[in-house]
Amino acid sequence: MKNLLLFGALALCLNSYGQSKKQQIEDLQGRADSITNVLKFQLKNLNNSKITNKSEIEVLELKEEDIKLAKLYLRKAKRNVKVGNIVTTVTVSISAVGTALLWKSFKGDWLDATPLLLIGDGVLIGFGQAVNIPLKISAKKNIELAKELINIY
């Protein structure tokens, strides 16, 4: 039972960590969308103007490409955070449920399987984190790249 509570607390901590990245991604996506709308409006006005400098249009188009690239980074980051959270939740859930079921069935006078169950839980959660941590690092890098591109404008 202690293990179940420990793993549940660990899952909650990891999910709350992921929530801040999700919020960061949503905020950056909102900023990128608003910048895109402003750039499209400016491009439309410049295209309608007869005294338009081609270099102004090229600069706005380059800005628009940067924002598209930032959105791509944000989509990748969002996907990585989502997959990482799913992997963590699944591994912790399987570990908790499996431990509870196996511990109940192996509880007896002649065999104490608690050490084996704990080792199995550790391996399962270790596998989950081996998948999750690189995804979170990649998401963080993608968020930073998107921030750099968005903060230019």
Side-chain angles (χ1 to χ4, degrees), residues 14-33 74 77-82 85 136 139-140 143-144 146-147 150:
L14 292 173
N15 281 341
S16 66
Y17 178 73
Q19 292 295 335
S20 64
K21 285 196 182 317
K22 285 181 186 177
Q23 186 61 40
Q24 226 178 0
I25 291 168
E26 289 172 5
D27 292 344
L28 287 171
Q29 282 177 330
R31 286 179 59 196
D33 289 339
L74 291 173
K78 190 174 186 177
R79 182 180 62 233
N80 287 347
V81 168
K82 189 175 188 177
N85 287 343
K136 298 285 181 160
K140 185 176 180 180
I143 290 171
E144 291 301 318
K147 271 185 189 178
I150 291 172

Side-chain angles (χ1 to χ4, degrees), residues 3-4 7 89-101 117-118 120-122 124-125:
N3 293 335
L4 181 64
F7 296 132
T89 303
V90 167
T91 55
V92 170
S93 299
I94 290 172
S95 173
V97 170
T99 300
L101 293 175
L117 294 175
L118 290 175
D121 289 343
L124 186 60
I125 291 174

Side-chain angles (χ1 to χ4, degrees), residues 2 9 11 15 20 23 33 37 45 48 50 54 60 64 70 73 81-82 93 104-105 108 112 115 123 131 133 141 151:
K2 291 179 193 176
N15 281 341
S20 64
Q23 186 61 40
D33 289 339
N37 291 336
N45 285 344
N48 291 338
K50 300 220 187 243
K54 284 189 177 184
L60 289 176
E64 193 174 27
Y73 286 137
V81 168
K82 189 175 188 177
S93 299
K104 186 176 181 181
S105 66
D112 184 15
V123 168
V131 171
I133 290 172
K141 287 178 184 176
N151 288 336

Side-chain angles (χ1 to χ4, degrees), residues 6-153:
L6 176 65
F7 296 132
L10 179 64
L12 287 175
C13 291
L14 292 173
N15 281 341
S16 66
Y17 178 73
Q19 292 295 335
S20 64
K21 285 196 182 317
K22 285 181 186 177
Q23 186 61 40
Q24 226 178 0
I25 291 168
E26 289 172 5
D27 292 344
L28 287 171
Q29 282 177 330
R31 286 179 59 196
D33 289 339
S34 65
I35 291 171
T36 301
N37 291 336
V38 169
L39 290 174
K40 284 181 181 179
F41 179 75
Q42 288 176 345
L43 274 170
K44 184 179 176 185
N45 285 344
L46 284 176
N47 286 331
N48 291 338
S49 172
K50 300 220 187 243
I51 313 171
T52 302
N53 188 349
K54 284 189 177 184
S55 65
E56 289 179 54
I57 293 175
E58 289 174 358
V59 167
L60 289 176
E61 288 174 346
L62 287 174
K63 287 179 181 180
E64 193 174 27
E65 289 299 316
D66 284 347
I67 297 301
K68 284 181 184 177
L69 184 60
K71 285 182 177 183
L72 176 68
Y73 286 137
L74 291 173
R75 277 195 304 272
K76 286 181 181 180
K78 190 174 186 177
R79 182 180 62 233
N80 287 347
V81 168
K82 189 175 188 177
V83 170
N85 287 343
I86 289 170
V87 168
T88 298
T89 303
V90 167
T91 55
V92 170
S93 299
I94 290 172
S95 173
V97 170
T99 300
L101 293 175
L102 290 174
W103 186 67
K104 186 176 181 181
S105 66
F106 282 127
K107 190 175 180 186
D109 295 333
W110 58 275
L111 176 66
D112 184 15
T114 305
L116 293 174
L117 294 175
L118 290 175
I119 290 170
D121 289 343
V123 168
L124 186 60
I125 291 174
F127 170 76
Q129 291 308 305
V131 171
N132 184 20
I133 290 172
L135 289 172
K136 298 285 181 160
I137 291 170
S138 174
K140 185 176 180 180
K141 287 178 184 176
N142 285 332
I143 290 171
E144 291 301 318
L145 290 170
K147 271 185 189 178
E148 288 176 16
L149 289 170
I150 291 172
N151 288 336
I152 291 172
Y153 309 107

